[in-house]
């Protein structure tokens, strides 16, 4: 039986001619692939960043295109709605224009006291219907003459007016909203040429009365 000598440790066999350093294990040196790994990761990150920038740019362009399309669609809807309202107004105005002579007959019958019985009921129903369609009558005696809504059929001079005034309504005017279907046909009167306005005459008369009262 072999006895181990205390204090001695077994050492690995060292080939003859080898140095003691050869017997020690050597640290592993990094391979070329491992050295290239960090550089490869950096290149991949750069490529991904570039792709992300491209995606963001494309997204911004598509968003701008979508916003432009939405704006164009909203403008299209507004144009269609405006055209629809215009077409409706034109159609209603055309229909009511055909009914104006009938409404004139109803007005003349009312003035002469002939709007009685069943004719009165029918006439009032017709006036109610056209009012619901937006037809409005205008034109009153004594209002200033406005060539945009009045049509002067008769002309005269009057000493009691200070401006061109509608003194008689020969045919009432009709409008729908801001659209005039028919101007009011009127007789107008203008101030007398060379005549002082009534207000000026009254002021002059007042001055004369005041002056006369101060004399002793």
């Amino acid at each position: 039986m072999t006895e181990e000598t205390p204090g001695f440790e077994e050492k690995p066999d060292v080939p003859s001619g080898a140095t003691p350093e050869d017997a020690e294990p050597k640290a592993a040196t990094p391979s070329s692939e491992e050295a290239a790994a960090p550089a490869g990761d950096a290149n991949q990150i750069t490529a991904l960043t570039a792709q992300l920038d491209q995606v963001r740019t494309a997204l911004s362009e598509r968003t701008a295109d979508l916003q432009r399309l939405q704006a164009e669609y909203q403008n299209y809807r507004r144009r269609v709605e405006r055209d629809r309202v215009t077409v409706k107004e034109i159609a209603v105005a055309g229909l009511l224009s055909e009914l104006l002579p009938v409404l004139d007959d109803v007005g003349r019958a009312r003035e002469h006291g002939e709007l009685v019985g069943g004719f009165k009921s029918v006439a009032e129903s017709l006036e109610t219907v056209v009012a619901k369609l937006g037809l409005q009558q205008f034109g009153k005696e004594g209002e200033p003459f406005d060539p945009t809504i009045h049509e002067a059929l008769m002309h005269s001079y009057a000493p009691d007016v200070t401006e061109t005034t509608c003194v008689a309504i020969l045919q009432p005017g009709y409008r729908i909203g801001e659209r005039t279907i028919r101007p009011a046909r009127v007789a107008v009167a203008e101030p007398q040429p060379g005549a002082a306005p009534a207000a000026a005459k009254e002021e002059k008369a007042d001055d004369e009365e005041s002056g006369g009262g101060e004399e002793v």
Side-chain angles (χ1 to χ4, degrees):
M1 185 173 183
T2 308
E3 295 181 359
E4 296 180 356
T5 304
F8 292 92
E9 295 180 355
E10 293 184 355
K11 295 183 179 181
D13 296 334
V14 178
S16 59
T19 62
E21 288 80 1
D22 294 336
E24 296 180 357
K26 296 181 179 180
T29 57
S31 62
S32 60
E33 295 180 355
E34 293 175 348
D41 292 342
N43 293 334
Q44 186 176 8
I45 292 174
T46 302
L48 291 175
T49 302
Q51 292 179 0
L52 181 59
D53 292 339
Q54 292 177 355
V55 170
R56 287 175 176 172
T57 302
L59 179 60
S60 299
E61 293 175 353
R62 298 300 176 270
T63 303
D65 292 340
L66 179 59
Q67 292 174 346
R68 183 169 57 254
L69 289 174
Q70 288 179 338
E72 291 176 356
Y73 177 67
Q74 293 297 331
N75 292 334
Y76 168 76
R77 287 187 60 185
R78 283 193 288 267
R79 286 196 304 271
V80 170
E81 181 64 19
R82 184 171 59 250
D83 293 344
R84 185 185 67 82
V85 172
T86 301
V87 170
K88 180 181 177 181
E89 289 179 352
I90 292 174
V92 172
L95 172 63
L96 295 178
S97 296
E98 299 296 327
L99 294 176
L100 294 186
V102 179
L103 295 175
D104 291 336
D105 292 338
V106 170
R108 283 190 290 268
R110 182 179 285 110
E111 290 176 358
H112 292 85
E114 299 175 355
L115 199 62
V116 295
F119 178 48
K120 178 180 180 181
S121 178
V122 173
E124 291 176 349
S125 298
L126 176 62
E127 290 174 338
T128 301
V129 170
V130 297
K132 287 182 179 179
L133 292 175
L135 186 67
Q136 299 176 349
Q137 186 182 102
F138 66 90
K140 295 181 180 179
E141 294 182 6
E143 64 185 6
F145 175 75
D146 184 351
T148 62
I149 60 174
H150 297 137
E151 181 181 354
L153 300 182
M154 298 178 65
H155 177 270
S156 63
Y157 294 98
D160 56 344
V161 298
T162 58
E163 60 181 341
T164 305
T165 305
C166 300
V167 294
I169 305 300
L170 307 179
Q171 275 187 334
Y174 290 95
R175 66 165 65 96
I176 298 178
E178 300 299 326
R179 182 191 297 271
T180 299
I181 296 180
R182 187 182 74 184
R185 293 166 179 169
V186 300
V188 300
E190 291 182 341
Q192 288 283 358
K201 288 182 178 180
E202 293 178 359
E203 183 178 355
K204 183 177 180 181
D206 293 340
D207 292 341
E208 290 177 353
E209 291 178 0
S210 299
E214 292 177 356
E215 293 180 358
V216 179

